Amino acid sequence: MTPQAPARTYRRLSVEERRNQLLDAALSLFAHRAPEDVSLDDVAETAGVSRPLVYRYFPGGKQQLYEAALRTAAEALRGCFDEPREGALLPRLSRALDRYLAFVDEHDAGFAALLQGGSVVETSRTNAIVDGVRRAAAEHIYRHLGVAAPGPRLRMTVRMWITAVEAASLMWLDEEKQPPTEELRDWLVDQFVAVLSVTAARDEQTAAVVHALTSADG
């Protein structure tokens, strides 16, 4: 008599685990395809569940799912600049950029769709989520610079550099991820020092920042 194979057991996922599973599936799709090219059927198939189950967790449909996935990605991006404020600033900035560029590399087309906009699912809420990442990155940088109340010129300089990092990342994807990541990172760090130096010629607060920066890292 042939022994019967043991019955396969399935673990029932909690509400949070199931929701995270669906978000992971959505993010994996958005990483390689523009949001408008991803359907709920695609998400259900990737997660190995039924379409009605996706709707059970995201009754608002694709828009709600996209915004939830975007918030998850935004949290990851915000964390890229959350570097311990220990040691010299430029190595700290390099480590933050390493994490940022690793995210860009992993999410590829999804990162491009996130920043370039123009998606059919783009709304004021999604724009606010993306802008929140930029603001959080700027706040981290001010803390790394040791500035509690940045003036307008320093704020503009930091935000301009963040915009340059985003633009360079998008072009890097278009250029088939060339130059190598380490070279791109070092170039962006050099740009940061350069734009601060330009602003320092017109702003005493930034001049003090540059002096402290070059004294500590030089």
Coordinates of all heavy atoms in Angstrom, one line a residue, residues 2-10:
T2 N 0.7 2.1 -1.0 CA 1.5 3.3 -1.1 C 1.1 4.3 -0.1 O 0.0 4.7 0.0 CB 1.3 3.9 -2.5 OG1 1.6 2.9 -3.5 CG2 2.3 5.1 -2.7
P3 N 2.1 4.8 0.7 CA 1.8 5.8 1.7 C 1.3 7.1 1.1 O 1.9 7.5 0.0 CB 3.1 6.0 2.5 CG 4.2 5.6 1.5 CD 3.6 4.5 0.7
Q4 N 0.4 7.8 1.7 CA -0.1 9.0 1.1 C 0.8 10.1 1.5 O 1.5 10.2 2.5 CB -1.5 9.3 1.7 CG -2.6 8.4 1.2 CD -4.0 8.9 1.8 OE1 -4.0 9.6 2.8 NE2 -5.0 8.4 1.1
A5 N 1.0 11.1 0.5 CA 1.8 12.2 0.7 C 1.2 13.1 1.8 O 0.0 13.2 1.8 CB 2.0 13.0 -0.6
P6 N 2.0 13.7 2.6 CA 1.4 14.6 3.6 C 0.6 15.7 3.0 O 1.1 16.3 2.0 CB 2.6 15.1 4.4 CG 3.8 14.9 3.5 CD 3.4 13.7 2.7
A7 N -0.5 16.1 3.6 CA -1.3 17.2 3.1 C -0.5 18.5 3.2 O 0.2 18.8 4.2 CB -2.6 17.3 3.8
R8 N -0.6 19.3 2.1 CA 0.1 20.6 2.2 C -0.7 21.6 3.0 O -1.9 21.6 3.0 CB 0.1 21.2 0.7 CG 0.9 22.5 0.6 CD 1.0 23.0 -0.8 NE 1.7 22.0 -1.6 CZ 1.9 22.2 -2.9 NH1 1.4 23.2 -3.6 NH2 2.6 21.3 -3.6
T9 N 0.0 22.3 3.9 CA -0.6 23.2 4.8 C -0.4 24.6 4.3 O 0.7 24.9 3.8 CB -0.1 23.0 6.2 OG1 1.4 23.2 6.2 CG2 -0.4 21.6 6.8
Y10 N -1.3 25.5 4.5 CA -1.2 26.9 4.1 C -1.4 27.7 5.3 O -2.3 27.5 6.2 CB -2.3 27.2 3.0 CG -2.1 26.5 1.7 CD1 -2.7 25.3 1.5 CD2 -1.3 27.0 0.8 CE1 -2.6 24.6 0.3 CE2 -1.1 26.4 -0.5 CZ -1.8 25.2 -0.7 OH -1.6 24.5 -1.9

